[in-house]
């Protein structure tokens, strides 16, 4: 008789950030393709229910620890993706607690006399030194620990000095997949070996083709896509990158609309969690535009996915916005963010495999729509096949069968 497979999937699924909400959906869909039974549970730092927006409901970190210490069948942890290696308890508290965020400018000075990470760990009921770095030895009932689609292109080597056990703990991870070459090189410099595969979210078009998405979206999005599909630029930007740059951004978007009169401007947030706040940036940019635009604010992950999949091009700072475009073979323009640049340099199509500056949005759009669709489709299929290969490796660990 096969052992019961318990899969504990943990990540930042307890806040509205598009990429984080995608991870558990795609992981579950792909694991289901192997025809082996499993029970998946989803955990964030806090309990949440974002099903109305397309997410998975989460249990909190204390429930996660309880499950890890149960002796029940075959249990695996999947750290779902993102910049999990460098996440500290204090950085999580910043994204979850507005009061703590208001003290941020004092953190460097406070850390010299007080361990803010330890304080945040107590507040959030943490049991491990870092929130998402686990080994089997941390728990009584875990058989495997898997890191899926990890990013660390900006990983600061100083974190290994601050947390001396981190290097050895990462070496004990049973399967460690990273999503870009810069991350792999940063970890290799610390003698941590990894395997390189595309971000697992690339699989979304496999499970959610356009014909499926159109039935999951809100009426305003459905109406917009019906009237404008293939003739709009999907634009998004993180709040911190837009601050003081709103006029420059509007000028570039207006230049696109002026030179391409058939192209409409679609402004839509992808991250609304603290420290993302795309909607705040777009609210400030929209009134500065001289050409007509449509600003969406209340959107689900299905709305975002559908809008990007039917766009003429995607433009933004969001890594998973660009990955969505890649998954549906839509041209993309990555903007300013280093981790996005690292991903594009690893997996992007020649000519659009790097980010552009805020003053280069118009030129970036020109280059993107000039890319041969066949190249976008070839890249799409290569990444999907590679992501499937990574999951085959994961399945061998987490979908256990007694013999």
């Amino acid at each position: 008789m096969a052992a019961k497979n318990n899969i504990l999937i943990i990540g930042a699924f307890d806040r509205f950030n598009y990429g984080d909400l995608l991870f558990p959906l795609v992981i579950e869909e792909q694991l289901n393709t192997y025809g082996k039974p499993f029970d998946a549970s989803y955990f964030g730092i806090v309990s949440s229910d974002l099903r109305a927006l397309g997410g998975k409901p989460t249990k909190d970190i204390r429930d996660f620890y309880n499950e890890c210490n149960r002796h029940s069948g075959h249990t695996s942890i999947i750290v779902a993706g993102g910049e999990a290696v460098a996440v500290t308890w204090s950085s999580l508290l910043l994204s979850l607690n507005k009061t703590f965020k208001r003290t941020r400018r004092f953190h460097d000075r406070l850390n010299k006399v007080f361990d803010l990470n330890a304080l945040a760990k107590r507040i959030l009921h943490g049991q491990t030194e870092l929130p998402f770095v686990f080994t089997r030895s941390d728990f009584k009932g875990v058989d495997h620990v898997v890191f899926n689609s990890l990013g660390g292109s900006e990983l600061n080597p100083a974190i290994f000095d601050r947390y001396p056990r981190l290097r050895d703990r990462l070496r004990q991870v049973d399967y460690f997949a990273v999503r870009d070459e810069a991350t792999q090189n940063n970890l290799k410099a610390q003698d941590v070996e990894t395997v390189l595969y595309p971000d697992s979210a690339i699989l979304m078009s496999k499970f959610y083709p356009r014909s499926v998405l159109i039935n999951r979206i809100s009426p305003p999005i459905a109406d917009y896509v019906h009237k404008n599909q293939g003739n709009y630029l999907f634009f998004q930007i993180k709040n911190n990158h837009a601050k003081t740059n709103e006029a420059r951004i509007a000028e570039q978007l207006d230049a696109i609309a002026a030179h391409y009169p058939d192209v409409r401007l679609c402004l839509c947030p992808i991250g609304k969690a603290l420290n993302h706040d795309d909607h705040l940036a777009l609210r400030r940019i929209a009134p500065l535009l001289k050409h007509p635009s449509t600003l969406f604010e209340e959107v689900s992950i299905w709305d975002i996915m559908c809008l990007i999949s039917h766009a003429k091009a995607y433009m933004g700072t969001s890594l998973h916005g660009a990955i969505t475009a890649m998954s549906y073979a839509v041209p993309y323009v990555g903007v300013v963010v280093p981790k996005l640049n690292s991903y594009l340099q690893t997996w992007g199509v020649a000519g659009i495999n790097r980010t552009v500056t805020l003053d280069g949005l118009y030129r970036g759009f020109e280059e993107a729509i000039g890319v041969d669709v066949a190249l976008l489709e070839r890249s799409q299929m290569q990444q999907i096949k590679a992501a499937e290969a990574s999951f085959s490796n994961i399945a061998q660990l987490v979908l256990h069968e007694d013999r």
Side-chain angles (χ1 to χ4, degrees), residues 329-332 349-352 366-380:
V330 170
Y332 43 87
V349 170
I352 53 173
E366 275 196 324
E367 292 174 342
I369 62 172
V371 170
D372 188 339
V373 174
L375 295 178
L376 294 169
E377 292 174 344
R378 187 184 309 159
S379 172
Q380 170 199 41

Side-chain angles (χ1 to χ4, degrees), residues 195-239:
V195 290
L196 176 64
Y197 288 102
D199 191 292
S200 58
I202 196 69
L203 295 170
M204 71 182 82
S205 60
K206 172 182 174 179
F207 301 113
Y208 313 116
R210 292 179 178 91
S211 58
V212 168
L213 292 178
I214 209 72
N215 295 314
R216 296 193 179 195
I217 56 179
S218 64
I221 301 297
D223 183 62
Y224 186 85
V225 168
H226 176 71
K227 292 176 179 177
N228 301 292
Q229 59 181 314
N231 290 314
Y232 59 88
L233 169 65
F234 181 107
F235 179 78
Q236 163 275 340
I237 191 166
K238 187 176 177 181
N239 192 40

